[in-house]
Amino acid sequence: MGDALIPSHKGFHGRVLFVDLTTQTHRTETIDASVYRQYLGGYGLGAWLMWKHFPAGTDPFAPEACFALCSGLLTGLRSPFSSRIQIVGKSPLTGTWADSNSGGSVCTHLRAAGFDAMLVTGKAAVPSILIVRDGEVSFEPAGELWGQEVPETFDALKAKFGGKREVGVSAIGPAGEKQQRIASVMNDRYHAFGRQGFGAIYGSKNLKAIVVAGTGDVPIARPAEFKAVCKRITDEYKRDLGLFTRIFAYFIKAKSWLGWMYRLMTKLGAKAATPAAAMRRAFSNRGTTLAVALSIENGDAPIRNWRGVGSKEFPIGKKGMKIDGAAVDPYITKKLSCGDCPMPCKGIVAVKSRGLRDVRRPDYETIIGFGANLLNDDIEVVTACHDACNRFGIDAVSSSMTIGWVCEAVEKGLLTAADLDGIDMKWGDGEAALALTIKMGTGEGCGAWLGHGVQRAAEHLGKGSEEFAIHIHGGEPAYHDSRFTSLMGVTYIADPTPGRHTAGSASWNETFGVGLSLPAAADKKDYTVKWKGTEGKGKAQALHSNAHQAMNGLGLCMFTMLTGNLPWTELVNGATGWDVTDADLLQCGERIQNLRAAFNRREGLGPKDFKPHPRMMGEGDGNLPSGPLKGVRVPLPMLRDDYYTAMHWNTQSGALSTAHANELGMAELLTGYTE
C-alpha cells in the first residue's frame, strides 16, 4: 500500500481508494499491474475487488457489505465513447452479483484525482455526502438534502461544489433512502445505475451522494499514437454521410406503412443488416427511440406482461407510431451525451402540458415499459412516468414490469383499487401508472411493497399471482422478447446479473448480423448464427458475451458495436504500451465473465436458480396465437446449457472447469470454486 503514484504505470494509476463510512476513514491500496493486464478496468477491476473484499454470504444491506465505483481502462483519457462509469456489488433485488453501467463524469474525475476505483464500505451514523477532491477525502452531513428528489439534490450539490466540468456527482432520491429494492442511483442528474437496486445500497449506508473532483491526468504510454487513433475515430463518426447512407438511415426509422415488412422479416428470420454509417446517423438523431414502433410490430417488444401481440393490440399505424421516436422529437430541447462522444444519442425534453422541463428524454426501455407494455399510447404520460423514475430514483424496467403485473392481477380480480390506495390500475391507463410509479418512488402506501420488484410484490399478494410474475431470480427481464431473439433470453437466464439485456449477447448477430467486436480473435463462422434454430449458438454467445465484458473493462459504450467496431487494441496499446492482440482482450473479457459468475457460485447460486418464466419460452399462455411470433417456442434451458458448455462451466453446478481455469491463469484465485 501507499499514496505515491507509480511512474512505470501507463494508462492506469494502479491505485484504489478505500472508504469506510462507519469510521469516516480512508486509505489507498496499490494494485499490481498484472491485475489490469488480466482484468482491465471497469467491471473487471470491480469483480476482482469484490472477490477480494466482499464478505461471502453477506446481506447487501449489511454495513460490512461493500460496493465499488470503477473506471474503465480508457475512461478519463478523453478517448471517444469512454465516458462511462461503472458500479459493482451484490444486488439487494436478486441476491446475485450486481453491476451497472452509466453515463456521467464521476469516474473521469476519479481518475483525474489519481484513482482507478473507489471501494465503499460501512454505514454512516447520519445521512451523509462523501467528497473526494484529488487525494483528499471528507464527509459532510446530508442535512436537508435527505428526503429531497433528484433534481433538487443535484442543483444543491452543483451550487456548493461546482458543475459537471468541476465535479462528478452520484446521488440517490427518496426511493434509495427508503431502500426500495428497485431504487437506482442517478449520475450527473440525467444518467442512471438503473438495474439491481444500487440506490437501495446507497440508502442502506446512509449515503445520499458521492462528489468527486480531480485535477490530474492519467499517464499515457504513446501519446501521439493514442491521440491519432482517437482523432481517426472521431473524424469517421462526424464526417458528412453520402446519399446512400442517408437513404438507409431513412429506412431504419420506423414507418407505419412498412409494418407488413417488419412482421414478414420476423417470420422469415431475415436479418436486418444495416451499414454502420447509416446506423450512426440514425442513432445520433434518435438513439434507442428509433426502434420503438418497429420492435412492437415485429415482436421484439413483449407487451401486456409477456402475453400480448404487439401488431394486433398495439398496431403500428394506430398506436405504435404515437410513442415512436418521431413522436418524441417535437419535445426535445437539446442533445445530451455521456461525454467524450462524437455520436450523442440522448436528449433533454420539455412537456409544457405537464409542467415538465429539463427532463431526460425517455428511451426505448422506458417507452415500451410505460407505453406498449401497459397498452398506453400517450407519449406525454410516458414521459411523465420516466420523469418520476428519475426524480425519485427508481428503475424504469422493474417499475413498469411490476405495474404490468398489477394490471394482470386487477384483470384477474386478485387486486382492487382499495388494495392500491384508490388507484384503479387497468390496461391502457397511463395516469394510474404514473400514480403507482410515484407511490413506488416515495415508498408510501402500496408503493412500500410494490417498490421491491415483481417477485416480492407477488409474494406479498399471494393468491396465485406468482404464476404471472415475470422475473428471473427476482430480476425483471428487459423489453426484448426471447421468443424474438433467443440469445437475449439466454443472457437473461445465464448472465450473473439475471434479467439484464446489456450484459452481453450474440442476439445482435442473431437478428442484425452484427459481427464480433474483436474480429481477429475468432473465426467468423463461430460467432455468426442463424436467427432461427439452435446450431452453434452456445459458442457464439460465449464469444460475444466475453467480448462485451472486455468492452466493459475498457469503459466503452455498447452502442459502438451497432455503429461500427472501434479499434480497441490500438486504443489499449497506445494508452498502456502493452501491445495486446484481439485474442488477448477477448481472454480478458472471458476472465471478467468468469469472475462475475464465480461470485454467484460463492454465494451458493447455480443454474437451477435462474429459471425462465414459461411465457419467455412461448409455453402456456406465452404461446402466442397470432402475430409474427405465432406458435414460437424457445428451448432456453438447452441453449443455456450450450452456452455453459462453451464457457467450460458445469451445467449442473455452474463451476468453471479447473483445466480451463489454469488456461486462463485463474486457478489460484478461484481455489475451491472450480471442478
Side-chain angles (χ1 to χ4, degrees), residues 642-663:
D642 287 348
Y643 168 64
Y644 269 52
T645 299
M647 289 294 295
H648 303 274
W649 296 348
N650 186 295
T651 57
Q652 299 303 309
S653 68
L656 174 66
S657 77
T658 303
H660 198 60
N662 276 310
E663 292 174 359

Side-chain angles (χ1 to χ4, degrees), residues 4 15 20 64 87 156 162 358 376 436 461 478 628:
R15 296 173 10 129
D20 189 322
E64 58 269 27
I87 191 170
D358 200 19
N376 166 39
L436 283 182
L461 177 62

Side-chain angles (χ1 to χ4, degrees), residues 74-411:
L74 297 173
T75 301
L77 305 186
R78 301 180 182 86
S79 52
F81 300 104
S82 66
S83 285
R84 307 294 297 175
I85 61 177
Q86 300 179 37
I87 191 170
V88 299
K90 182 179 179 181
S91 170
L93 180 68
T94 64
T96 66
W97 167 258
D99 49 37
S100 191
N101 196 322
S102 169
S105 64
V106 171
C107 282
T108 296
H109 283 287
L110 188 64
R111 296 206 96 186
F115 306 102
D116 299 315
M118 175 169 58
L119 186 146
V120 180
T121 190
K123 178 179 181 178
V126 298
S128 300
I129 300 169
L130 167 62
I131 305 106
V132 179
R133 287 189 178 277
D134 288 322
E136 297 183 0
V137 179
S138 60
F139 307 84
E140 293 186 7
E144 294 182 356
L145 286 183
W146 194 257
Q148 293 294 313
E149 295 174 14
V150 166
E152 291 77 12
T153 298
F154 276 88
D155 287 346
L157 292 173
K158 180 179 178 180
K160 183 169 185 177
F161 295 104
K164 69 178 182 179
R165 294 186 183 279
E166 291 81 35
V167 297
V169 178
S170 177
I172 59 173
E177 296 171 4
K178 295 287 185 66
Q179 297 177 41
Q180 300 285 75
R181 292 177 190 266
I182 64 170
S184 58
V185 175
M186 300 304 296
N187 302 301
D188 291 348
R189 184 170 178 168
Y190 304 110
H191 312 280
F193 291 136
R195 308 305 309 273
Q196 301 175 289
F198 278 104
I201 293 176
Y202 273 45
S204 73
K205 295 185 175 300
N206 268 338
L207 181 62
K208 179 65 175 180
I210 297 173
V211 178
V212 186
T215 57
D217 289 308
V218 182
I220 295 176
R222 304 165 185 165
E225 176 184 321
F226 185 78
K227 185 177 180 180
V229 176
C230 292
K231 184 178 186 303
R232 191 179 82 222
I233 295 169
T234 300
D235 289 347
E236 183 177 330
Y237 269 79
K238 287 188 173 181
R239 69 188 177 193
D240 185 36
L241 299 175
L243 178 63
F244 178 73
T245 53
R246 289 174 185 268
I247 292 173
F248 264 96
Y250 171 81
F251 278 100
I252 290 172
K253 298 175 182 177
K255 312 289 187 300
S256 60
W257 55 274
L258 287 176
W260 64 271
M261 185 179 74
Y262 305 147
R263 298 189 298 274
L264 180 63
M265 290 181 70
T266 297
K267 291 179 179 179
L268 296 177
K271 296 186 179 183
T274 305
M279 282 299 297
R280 292 170 192 168
R281 172 172 286 275
F283 229 80
S284 182
N285 287 341
R286 287 188 180 160
T288 59
T289 66
L290 69 88
V292 171
L294 186 154
S295 293
I296 297 167
E297 194 71 11
N298 67 15
D300 177 32
I303 71 167
R304 203 161 56 85
N305 205 25
W306 286 73
R307 62 191 175 106
V309 178
S311 59
K312 298 292 183 182
E313 300 172 65
F314 211 86
I316 190 169
K318 294 182 178 180
K319 290 182 177 290
M321 291 304 293
K322 290 183 177 180
I323 61 172
D324 191 62
V328 180
D329 287 350
Y331 299 95
I332 296 177
T333 58
K334 63 180 178 180
K335 298 286 287 182
L336 173 69
S337 80
C338 301
D340 292 329
C341 180
M343 188 186 71
C345 65
K346 301 177 175 68
I348 301 298
V349 300
V351 182
K352 293 181 181 179
S353 66
R354 291 185 168 270
L356 301 178
R357 60 182 180 83
D358 200 19
V359 173
R360 161 79 181 269
R361 180 192 65 194
D363 290 311
Y364 173 88
E365 299 293 334
T366 308
I367 296 176
I368 296 296
F370 290 103
N373 174 51
L374 303 180
L375 304 185
N376 166 39
D377 63 3
D378 188 331
I379 191 61
E380 294 192 353
V381 176
V382 168
T383 303
C385 291
H386 175 69
D387 173 60
C389 287
N390 288 351
R391 278 192 294 117
F392 294 104
I394 57 172
D395 178 52
V397 172
S398 290
S399 55
S400 59
M401 280 286 290
T402 302
I403 295 174
W405 168 86
V406 168
C407 287
E408 186 164 347
V410 171
E411 179 184 20

